[in-house]
Amino acid sequence: MTEYYDWAGGREALLRCGPAQGPVAVLALPLFEEANRTRTFAVGLMRRLVDRGVASALPDLPGQNESVVPTEQAMLAGWRAAFAAAAMAAGRGRTVHGVAFRGGALVDHDAALASRWQLAPANGDALVRELFRIAQAAGEPLGIDLDAYSDEGGPVTIAGNRIARPLLRDLAAADCVRDGAVRVVRLETDPAVADRKLSGTPLWRQSEPGDDPALADALADDIAGWIARCAS
């Protein structure tokens, strides 16, 4: 069911799924093109959480998916404010947990969450360096000094996304929440530290949107188990 939530910058869509009582998992998709590649997978994960008694919500963030905000107007502070508002709207007095994929773990900082569950979280510096490599490979190197906040040039285009320079600078300095109730899950091919590693396909790196039902089942079990442990 698609609803809407209000934040200081306007109104965005909120896809809701699951029972009317109990905990709610609010999803934060990866950023930019990675979001398009993983949305189908995320919706399938939400349906699996229903079978495990967990409601879920997937908000559009400003400048992403069906948002009417132009992509080049998206800012990290706006994403964080919008996600916090979406979490409050999704909770309606219920316990809310964050479920973040990749760069989505950079946007949940301001939300009132009982816990955070992160899949392959990446800090902002790594994501921005990857965007620069994509631009370089496309023959369109970006002439941006990330330390020069006086650079007020216009948006840059990377893989079809127009991105504001201030957003790239803010992302480069951003990191995931690491304190409190945080669980990190990664794929077995990822050498970084994690609480658990699973076999599966890194869908965010595929050329087209895809799915991995076996991974979705394993993640749904892990998320439901984590939420239950946080409640005990």
Side-chain angles (χ1 to χ4, degrees), residues 4-5 11 13 15-16 52 64-65 69 101 113 153 169 190 195 205 220 223:
Y4 296 89
Y5 71 94
R11 171 169 287 194
L15 178 64
R16 295 178 64 95
R52 292 155 176 84
Q64 298 229 336
N65 199 43
V69 175
F101 298 67
L113 302 173
R169 294 192 185 94
D190 188 338
D195 296 298
R205 297 197 183 282
I223 293 168

Side-chain angles (χ1 to χ4, degrees), residues 198-217:
L198 296 167
S199 62
T201 306
L203 297 170
W204 49 89
R205 297 197 183 282
Q206 306 300 301
S207 59
E208 298 290 339
D211 201 3
D212 186 335
L215 178 61
D217 284 332

Side-chain angles (χ1 to χ4, degrees), residues 140-151:
E140 300 176 349
L142 305 179
I144 301 176
D145 181 354
L146 293 176
D147 295 322
Y149 278 80
S150 59
D151 177 4

Side-chain angles (χ1 to χ4, degrees), residues 65-107:
N65 199 43
E66 300 299 325
S67 173
V68 298
V69 175
T71 304
E72 60 264 33
Q73 293 181 14
M75 296 293 167
L76 181 57
W79 281 346
R80 289 179 173 177
F83 187 84
M88 182 177 296
R92 297 176 181 171
R94 299 159 66 181
T95 304
V96 180
H97 301 263
V99 171
F101 298 67
R102 293 273 291 158
L106 302 174
V107 307

Side-chain angles (χ1 to χ4, degrees), residues 118-144:
Q118 301 168 348
L119 175 64
N123 64 36
D125 179 64
L127 291 177
V128 170
R129 282 190 279 109
E130 189 167 330
L131 289 173
F132 275 48
R133 285 195 296 271
I134 292 171
Q136 182 75 36
E140 300 176 349
L142 305 179
I144 301 176

Side-chain angles (χ1 to χ4, degrees), residues 8-228:
R11 171 169 287 194
E12 301 290 352
L14 181 72
L15 178 64
R16 295 178 64 95
C17 191
Q21 284 82 36
V24 182
V26 182
L27 279 64
L29 290 183
L31 306 180
F32 307 118
E33 190 59 30
E34 290 187 2
N36 297 328
R37 298 171 188 154
T38 56
R39 187 176 179 88
T40 296
F41 176 80
V43 173
L45 178 62
M46 293 171 69
R47 295 192 179 105
R48 287 167 169 83
L49 288 174
V50 173
D51 296 335
R52 292 155 176 84
V54 177
S56 58
L58 175 59
D60 280 357
L61 296 180
Q64 298 229 336
N65 199 43
E66 300 299 325
S67 173
V68 298
V69 175
T71 304
E72 60 264 33
Q73 293 181 14
M75 296 293 167
L76 181 57
W79 281 346
R80 289 179 173 177
F83 187 84
M88 182 177 296
R92 297 176 181 171
R94 299 159 66 181
T95 304
V96 180
H97 301 263
V99 171
F101 298 67
R102 293 273 291 158
L106 302 174
V107 307
D108 66 4
H109 291 51
D110 298 336
L113 302 173
S115 78
R116 289 172 170 83
W117 182 98
Q118 301 168 348
L119 175 64
N123 64 36
D125 179 64
L127 291 177
V128 170
R129 282 190 279 109
E130 189 167 330
L131 289 173
F132 275 48
R133 285 195 296 271
I134 292 171
Q136 182 75 36
E140 300 176 349
L142 305 179
I144 301 176
D145 181 354
L146 293 176
D147 295 322
Y149 278 80
S150 59
D151 177 4
E152 298 180 352
V156 297
T157 301
I158 306 174
N161 292 290
R162 286 176 56 80
I163 305 173
R165 294 168 186 247
L167 174 57
L168 289 174
R169 294 192 185 94
D170 289 344
L171 282 175
D175 202 354
C176 314
V177 173
R178 303 183 185 277
D179 299 326
V182 179
R183 179 171 175 80
V184 175
V185 175
R186 298 184 184 275
L187 299 184
E188 292 176 341
T189 52
D190 188 338
V193 175
D195 296 298
R196 184 183 181 188
K197 295 199 173 184
L198 296 167
S199 62
T201 306
L203 297 170
W204 49 89
R205 297 197 183 282
Q206 306 300 301
S207 59
E208 298 290 339
D211 201 3
D212 186 335
L215 178 61
D217 284 332
L219 295 183
D221 286 339
D222 198 273
I223 293 168
W226 167 247
I227 289 175

